[in-house]
Amino acid sequence: MEFDFSLLLLALPVVFLLGWLASRLDLRQLRLESHQAPKAYFKGLNFLLNEQQDQAIDAFIEAVQSDPDTSELHFALGNLFRRRGEYERAVRVHQHLLSRGDLVADDRHRAQHALALDYLKAGLLDRAEEALLKLEGTRFEAQARLALLANYERSRDWEHAAGIASKLEAAGQGSFAGRQAHYLCEQAAARVTGQQPAEAMSLLRQAMETAPQAPRPRMDLATLQRAQGNHEAALATLTEAMLQSPAATPLIAPLLADAAIAAHAIAPALALLKTRYEQSACIDVLDAIVNLEAANGDNAVTARQWYARHLEKEPSLVAAAKWIAGEKLEHEQFHPQVQRALDHAVKPLTRYRCAACGFEAKRHFWQCPGCQAWDSYPALRVEEL
């Protein structure tokens, strides 16, 4: 039986028409889906700009349901959950991304980094550490190391923190010598608590070599030397600290005065403190001078004269309260009430304030309890800032 080519010619237009109709239907469906997803996405973006996070989350969930393969929508949704404190939902979103086999390597690393941030925000430090360590060798390596450093500091794992700081410095992320010195001082403090003074002293000397200009290692070493009864060595250490770290003089001065009294070496300490006071009038240095002169046998009039001289240089309410405490007032019966009011007024002025976050404290901190920044507390008190 011969094939009729005329039937083939008649069928060709029909096949072409059916193919054209099918392609039009597919294109229409594709356009509809692509139109719906961006519409929901931009709606969510608009809610975000208006700080309407609940509505933004609903819009992004709608967009994800319309196009479940879009990784950017998942990232946006996960970040929103984290910002709202819904860490479990953020973790689920980023874990879902990591479970996808079609995810490109860069997006996989990005999801791993986002998951680590979820764990950090949720306070799951062990899981955060595990997630961050997986980012070695990726473009998120530097960010992961910084997060690891904060993680180790938060958990007071000073040895691992020192290792990460060394890697960051080697990678050109800045100098971490000051932090390394603090880590060594923290380890030394733990050794002192554990009755291991020799190891503590070794760590403090290592800290001095790591950051020669840092005042804390020498101050901690002097405290340890005094605890061992070696007041002369403590005085020498504090004198060196004052020379190496002039800005920390207000912190060092009280310790130096106590060490000088214990070592019976008041004269050289007085000379050094008076020189520093003339260079920069400071109430803590002045208090140290007054204490040394009192220990040297001078009477209370000298102390009042010192505070009066300070008031000539600086309008200090703290110095005024100290001066008036030793004065004989015309209406002496009201002196206790006046003194009590002055002491209450100067309390906020004698605090230390973090330069990074403004957190105030009665004592000086090397690491701010509020923002965790290192060396953010000036040596001066609030009144003198």
Side-chain angles (χ1 to χ4, degrees):
M1 180 178 179
E2 293 183 357
F3 182 75
D4 191 352
F5 285 98
S6 62
L7 293 176
L8 179 62
L9 292 174
L10 289 173
L12 279 175
V14 176
V15 172
F16 176 79
L17 180 62
L18 291 173
W20 181 81
L21 287 172
S23 66
R24 292 295 295 172
L25 288 173
D26 288 344
L27 284 172
R28 184 178 179 184
Q29 180 66 22
L30 183 63
R31 286 174 180 171
L32 181 62
E33 291 178 355
S34 63
H35 176 71
Q36 288 175 347
K39 183 178 180 181
Y41 179 80
F42 287 120
K43 185 166 68 172
L45 185 60
N46 183 56
F47 283 132
L48 269 185
L49 292 174
N50 289 302
E51 298 183 357
Q52 296 173 285
Q53 294 189 6
D54 291 333
Q55 294 89 332
I57 286 175
D58 292 338
F60 283 132
I61 289 175
E62 178 188 342
V64 167
Q65 289 171 345
S66 301
D67 190 5
D69 295 329
T70 304
S71 58
E72 288 298 331
L73 292 175
H74 285 80
F75 282 122
L77 193 57
N79 291 338
L80 262 178
F81 284 142
R82 189 194 312 128
R83 286 174 58 185
R84 283 178 52 83
E86 299 181 49
Y87 304 121
E88 291 185 8
R89 299 179 75 181
V91 166
R92 285 200 298 270
V93 169
H94 295 129
Q95 284 179 336
H96 170 72
L97 278 170
L98 288 170
S99 68
R100 284 172 47 179
D102 62 337
L103 204 64
V104 298
D106 189 64
D107 279 349
R108 185 170 298 279
H109 299 153
R110 184 180 170 191
Q112 185 69 42
H113 181 245
L115 180 63
L117 295 181
D118 296 338
Y119 287 141
L120 279 174
K121 290 291 186 180
L124 302 173
L125 302 186
D126 292 341
R127 293 186 183 183
E129 178 184 1
E130 182 182 352
L132 289 167
L133 288 172
K134 292 179 180 178
L135 292 168
E136 285 288 325
T138 71
R139 72 180 178 94
F140 295 96
E141 182 180 72
Q143 298 175 52
R145 285 175 175 173
L146 287 170
L148 267 175
L149 187 65
N151 191 13
Y152 288 138
E153 288 182 357
R154 187 175 172 184
S155 58
R156 303 186 68 80
D157 188 348
W158 306 116
E159 293 183 11
H160 280 97
I164 294 295
S166 297
K167 288 182 180 180
L168 284 166
E169 188 163 353
Q173 296 294 317
S175 174
F176 287 81
R179 282 201 189 190
Q180 294 281 28
H182 283 301
Y183 299 156
L184 290 166
C185 289
E186 293 289 348
Q187 293 177 63
R191 299 297 192 281
V192 171
T193 304
Q195 303 298 318
Q196 297 172 298
E199 292 186 19
M201 194 165 291
S202 175
L203 287 166
L204 289 172
R205 294 196 183 280
Q206 185 181 342
M208 289 163 57
E209 294 175 3
T210 301
Q213 307 300 320
R216 183 184 180 182
R218 289 183 175 84
M219 292 171 66
D220 288 358
L221 178 60
T223 301
L224 182 56
Q225 289 169 333
R226 285 207 62 197
Q228 295 176 336
N230 197 347
H231 304 295
E232 293 80 4
L235 179 59
T237 300
L238 291 168
T239 301
E240 184 182 2
M242 194 171 287
L243 296 174
Q244 290 287 342
S245 311
T249 294
L251 298 176
I252 301 169
L255 300 176
L256 187 138
D258 291 341
I261 293 170
H264 304 290
I266 294 176
L270 257 178
L272 176 60
L273 289 175
K274 286 179 178 179
T275 301
R276 286 306 170 90
Y277 178 78
E278 292 302 323
Q279 294 170 351
S280 178
C282 168
I283 197 69
D284 284 303
V285 178
L286 181 56
D287 285 342
I289 292 172
V290 169
N291 290 338
L292 283 173
E293 290 195 339
N296 206 28
D298 293 328
N299 56 32
V301 177
T302 306
R304 294 201 301 274
Q305 289 175 344
W306 272 108
Y307 291 123
R309 284 182 55 190
H310 187 80
L311 288 169
E312 292 175 359
K313 294 183 177 182
E314 302 288 341
S316 169
L317 186 60
V318 176
K322 290 177 180 290
W323 173 80
I324 205 171
E327 280 295 304
K328 188 74 174 176
L329 302 183
E330 181 179 353
H331 302 284
E332 187 60 24
Q333 69 272 25
F334 299 116
H335 196 163
Q337 296 91 323
V338 172
Q339 191 63 51
R340 187 165 57 250
L342 282 173
D343 291 341
H344 179 75
V346 301
K347 274 184 181 180
L349 303 178
T350 59
R351 296 174 182 166
Y352 296 96
R353 179 187 295 156
C354 174
C357 70
F359 187 92
E360 292 187 2
K362 292 180 180 179
R363 67 182 184 89
H364 182 273
F365 285 100
W366 299 110
Q367 185 183 27
C368 177
C371 65
Q372 306 302 308
W374 289 98
D375 294 320
S376 59
Y377 275 85
L380 298 173
R381 299 181 186 271
V382 168
E383 185 186 55
E384 298 169 316
L385 293 177

